Amino acid sequence: MIKKNLLIAGAMLSCGAAFSFSEVQAQTCVVPPSCEELGYKQTEADCEGATLILKCPTDPSQVACPSYPDPCGIGDVLYGDGYCYKDNFRPKNIAPIGVVFDTTKRLAVALTDVGKDGSAGTEGMTWSSSYCDTPNLENCDFEYMSCGADGRVNTDAILASTCNGTTYAANAVNAYQTSNCSADFCQQGKWFLPSLQELYTIHINRSVINSTLSLLSTIGAKQLMDYYYLSSTEYSDGYVWSLNVDNANHYFNGKNDSNQYDRYNYVRPVLAF
């Protein structure tokens, strides 16, 4: 737990008074540190709702409400500054942006699915408008769970390709932007399409993820659908992997297939923090 130490100013040394000239010359006049220098950089309005408020000894209008980031666990809320907090120690004006699903790779899933334009909302879509063997993207057939496992690397390769036509799923996550992001790591362009392995990790932790998303429903969070989500893991030139996060069923579907079954694959952005 990270704590900011707040120093208390020492007593001021007065200059002049009953000292002789030579004594005065020997004295050192010490200017006490300001409240801001001591760490009291907030007002009571800034600390509204905090359970711990410290006041500056020399100016009680300057206060501090220390925030204590906690190690992120599976199902914890990830906030817009990149940290997880206990509710009592969350800084004011820091809001949720995702739910942690992998503590080793430090990954979080977005609060909602996205449509083709990157806006929040559930929309079935095909992976792309055309197909090819995507440059710099692994073809994963039998070792599909360990192959092409880095969604960020995969998404970058998909976005850089020109032979797949419009890459709807990758474009959607790349365009996603949450209004609650207050740091660089979660800005537009930092979200990516999860790999099949990462979708499987989401499946394993689906219950706790959905519990957290349910608690955040008042700010627009939506639980994961009991259906298939598109991955960034390529099967071959014309096929990609999808996974049902409810029961872990997975299959490879045509990148640009427009039949009813393939049109109902959903997209949920992921990011590293």
Side-chain angles (χ1 to χ4, degrees):
M1 192 173 286
I2 301 170
K3 298 183 179 180
K4 176 182 283 186
N5 294 320
L6 301 174
L7 304 177
I8 299 178
M12 293 188 299
L13 175 65
S14 299
C15 298
F19 295 107
S20 67
F21 179 76
S22 60
E23 289 174 322
V24 169
Q25 284 186 313
Q27 302 301 315
T28 300
C29 296
V30 178
V31 178
S34 67
C35 288
E36 184 173 358
E37 290 171 331
L38 291 171
Y40 299 92
K41 301 180 180 180
Q42 297 153 302
T43 66
E44 289 195 20
D46 295 327
C47 295
E48 181 182 355
T51 57
L52 179 62
I53 301 177
L54 304 176
K55 295 185 177 182
C56 178
T58 58
D59 182 1
S61 67
Q62 296 297 110
V63 303
C65 41
S67 57
Y68 302 139
D70 292 306
C72 293
I74 302 298
D76 282 353
V77 176
L78 180 67
Y79 290 89
D81 61 351
Y83 294 104
C84 300
Y85 296 92
K86 286 184 171 65
D87 286 343
N88 291 339
F89 298 106
R90 176 170 56 86
K92 187 181 179 183
N93 298 325
I94 298 297
I97 62 165
V99 179
V100 177
F101 72 89
D102 189 326
T103 56
T104 301
K105 296 174 69 174
R106 293 178 60 83
L107 299 177
V109 65
L111 299 181
T112 67
D113 295 339
V114 292
K116 288 181 182 179
D117 63 356
S119 61
T122 299
E123 178 182 2
M125 67 184 78
T126 57
W127 198 83
S128 62
S129 64
S130 186
Y131 65 92
C132 68
D133 191 356
T134 310
N136 301 314
L137 194 62
E138 291 183 84
N139 287 161
C140 302
D141 45 20
F142 300 109
E143 299 297 327
Y144 46 80
M145 280 299 179
S146 59
C147 172
D150 190 326
R152 175 73 270 172
V153 172
N154 294 349
T155 302
D156 288 343
I158 296 165
L159 292 171
S161 72
T162 57
C163 55
N164 282 303
T166 302
T167 51
Y168 300 116
N171 287 1
V173 295
N174 192 55
Y176 177 66
Q177 175 67 67
T178 170
S179 60
N180 296 333
C181 175
S182 59
D184 179 67
F185 81 102
C186 53
Q187 297 294 332
Q188 189 176 61
K190 296 301 179 71
W191 299 80
F192 56 90
L193 191 63
S195 67
L196 186 66
Q197 183 190 88
E198 289 160 354
L199 279 176
Y200 185 72
T201 304
I202 291 172
H203 154 71
I204 292 173
N205 298 300
R206 174 182 171 276
S207 177
V208 66
I209 293 169
N210 271 349
S211 293
T212 302
L213 290 170
S214 178
L215 294 174
L216 298 174
S217 62
T218 55
I219 62 169
K222 301 293 183 182
Q223 293 189 11
L224 294 160
M225 301 283 287
D226 295 341
Y227 208 70
Y228 287 89
Y229 280 82
L230 287 168
S231 82
S232 58
T233 304
E234 190 175 68
Y235 175 79
S236 66
D237 59 346
Y239 295 87
V240 292
W241 287 101
S242 295
L243 183 135
N244 187 321
V245 297
D246 176 42
N247 56 25
N249 286 342
H250 49 279
Y251 79 109
F252 53 90
N253 60 290
K255 290 180 177 180
N256 66 331
D257 280 355
S258 57
N259 63 59
Q260 185 177 12
Y261 187 62
D262 290 317
R263 280 189 290 112
Y264 292 102
N265 285 277
Y266 302 118
V267 172
R268 177 77 64 138
V270 163
L271 89 166
F273 62 93

